[in-house]
Amino acid sequence: MSGRPVRVSFVSGVRHAGPYLEILRHDPRVELVGVAEEPGVPEWMLRDSQHVARRAETAWLPSVDDALDPDRVDLAFICSEPTRHARLAITAMKRGVNVVVDKPVATTLDDADLVLDAARDARGFCSVINRTHSPALRRTRRYVDAGYLGLPRHLDVEFLASGRHFSTSVERPGLVIDPALSGGGELLNFLGYCVDAVRYLTGLEVESVYAMTGALFGAGHADRGVEDTAVVSLGLEHGVTCTVTVGRVAFAPGLGPTSSSIRLLGSHGHAVVDDDKPAVLRYGGHPALSAHPVGGDGSAVALRLFLDHVVGRAVEGRAPDYGLADARAGLAVIDAAYRSVASRAVCAPAKSAGGTADGAAEGSAAGAGSAAGAARIGVHS
């Protein structure tokens, strides 16, 4: 970008915008242009978006048009409630700016395909917030590529959020439990992270899905008719299997707001991936036991590294390594899981009708290993 900063705007600030702004405002390569909100939204959305702008000490923009003006903005973040993600992302791409969408990219597979269609004609890239830059995940991928574990045969994946942190980790309860805002429950909220990890570690696509869900811990979820927990069985290419547990539980098995772990069983070894390890355990004081992950909280580190990567790619004029094809693959598994719950049957993820978009020539964070994964596993299957 000819040595000038990457000019960043936010379209809506009601969901996750705060931590993203906090990271970006301290990046010397970034110039924050401001935050905008759509006209006609509920008053609380307007107030919340203005609040995050003030906290980040950035401008409140008069309109979304100002936030998507390609003469003023290079990169726009979409941080509305999930049910607006797809429409706002399409609008931003049509204006000619690069786009990063908060997860999930859409709340329905049809909407995700519309975003993919828009990206094929877009001048810039479109990426989605993800956790594939987690140091623990990247280390394990190197072990897999080096052959230390042999051939991946099975994975157990767990992603749990602790209900005791709900009031501090979720801006407003409705953003998670009201389907009009969230589009679904915790299956939609968290399963994509797990699918990303599985695809990233194995380079394989999901072929079959069986899921069970429940509202076991949160009365708010039950009242709104959405799940707070889910157990999902995945069948991958070449006979590889995977079990996934996601949910918002009373107390996650960790000392932070979320707990993420993966056990990868290979033909010649196994590995355990924990975002919050290595860590220093402190005994005594208040609380009596506390953990201090080396490098910082695993979720925060994964986010910071991904945003660092996005800004770096924007400076270079290249697409990030995680693209819409990756996000769409995750949403296809989520869609199959919901269909499985409804039918009590195994369902296959729906395939995309079109080709890939946004940086497909450079590969993708999750899919880049597909050829390698097929070579590692397919030759021996």
Side-chain angles (χ1 to χ4, degrees):
M1 293 191 172
S2 304
R4 63 173 170 79
V6 179
R7 301 166 300 177
V8 175
S9 69
F10 276 66
V11 178
S12 188
V14 302
R15 187 74 172 117
H16 293 140
Y20 303 167
L21 279 162
E22 187 62 22
I23 292 170
L24 293 168
R25 69 190 288 239
H26 290 104
D27 190 324
R29 302 166 297 174
V30 169
E31 174 190 330
L32 288 180
V33 176
V35 180
E37 185 54 275
E38 289 191 294
V41 298
E43 185 64 26
W44 67 264
M45 291 187 180
L46 189 63
R47 289 197 309 269
D48 287 5
S49 294
Q50 291 173 335
H51 176 68
V52 297
R54 284 194 301 271
R55 288 196 62 179
E57 298 180 338
T58 189
W60 175 251
L61 301 176
S63 71
V64 170
D65 285 342
D66 293 287
L68 300 178
D69 181 353
D71 292 329
R72 299 178 59 194
V73 172
D74 303 305
L75 174 61
F77 279 74
I78 308 300
C79 287
S80 65
E81 72 284 6
T83 48
R84 279 196 288 162
H85 283 177
R87 178 172 58 79
L88 290 174
I90 292 169
T91 299
M93 283 188 284
K94 287 181 177 179
R95 291 295 304 273
V97 299
N98 297 308
V99 182
V100 173
V101 190
D102 191 25
K103 60 85 183 173
V105 65
T107 56
T108 70
L109 206 50
D110 286 343
D111 282 350
D113 286 335
L114 291 176
V115 178
L116 269 169
D117 288 342
R120 294 187 184 102
D121 298 323
R123 286 184 288 174
F125 63 71
C126 183
S127 187
V128 182
I129 295 293
N130 65 89
R131 296 168 59 97
T132 59
H133 281 254
S134 156
L137 195 64
R138 298 248 158 178
R139 281 196 302 271
T140 308
R141 169 63 184 271
R142 292 195 294 270
Y143 299 157
V144 173
D145 288 344
Y148 296 149
L149 309 180
L151 304 176
R153 291 304 191 194
H154 177 77
L155 300 93
D156 291 311
V157 185
E158 184 177 88
F159 191 96
L160 300 174
S162 185
R164 64 179 299 207
H165 294 280
F166 188 73
S167 62
T168 55
S169 60
V170 177
E171 295 87 345
R172 291 176 179 266
L175 292 168
V176 170
I177 65 175
D178 182 356
L181 302 174
S182 65
E186 304 299 351
L187 191 63
L188 177 59
N189 197 15
F190 294 142
L191 182 58
Y193 287 147
C194 302
V195 176
D196 286 344
V198 169
R199 295 180 68 242
Y200 181 77
L201 288 175
T202 67
L204 302 175
E205 299 297 340
V206 176
E207 295 185 325
S208 61
V209 181
Y210 183 78
M212 296 181 291
T213 63
L216 307 180
F217 298 95
H221 289 76
D223 291 344
R224 296 282 187 160
V226 296
E227 74 286 345
D228 60 18
T229 50
V231 178
V232 187
S233 296
L234 305 178
L236 280 65
E237 297 172 299
H238 305 295
V240 176
T241 55
C242 177
T243 58
V244 179
T245 303
V246 297
R248 194 175 298 276
V249 301
F251 292 90
L255 299 177
T258 61
S259 172
S260 172
S261 63
I262 303 168
R263 183 184 297 273
L264 192 157
L265 305 179
S267 60
H268 291 75
H270 77 275
V272 176
V273 186
D274 188 329
D275 278 352
D276 290 322
K277 298 289 179 64
V280 175
L281 294 180
R282 178 178 180 271
Y283 296 88
H286 300 284
L289 173 63
S290 59
H292 304 272
V294 176
D297 172 79
S299 296
V301 171
L303 174 62
R304 176 172 52 79
L305 291 175
F306 176 65
L307 294 183
D308 177 77
H309 166 75
V310 168
V311 172
R313 286 294 180 92
V315 169
E316 297 168 359
R318 301 169 58 198
D321 63 7
Y322 185 98
L324 287 177
D326 298 310
R328 199 271 180 198
L331 193 60
V333 175
I334 294 169
D335 172 77
Y338 277 119
R339 286 188 283 115
S340 173
V341 171
S343 64
R344 298 185 180 182
V346 176
C347 294
K351 297 185 181 300
S352 176
T356 58
D358 70 283
E362 298 183 33
S364 61
S370 295
R376 286 197 304 269
I377 298 175
V379 168
H380 299 276
S381 296

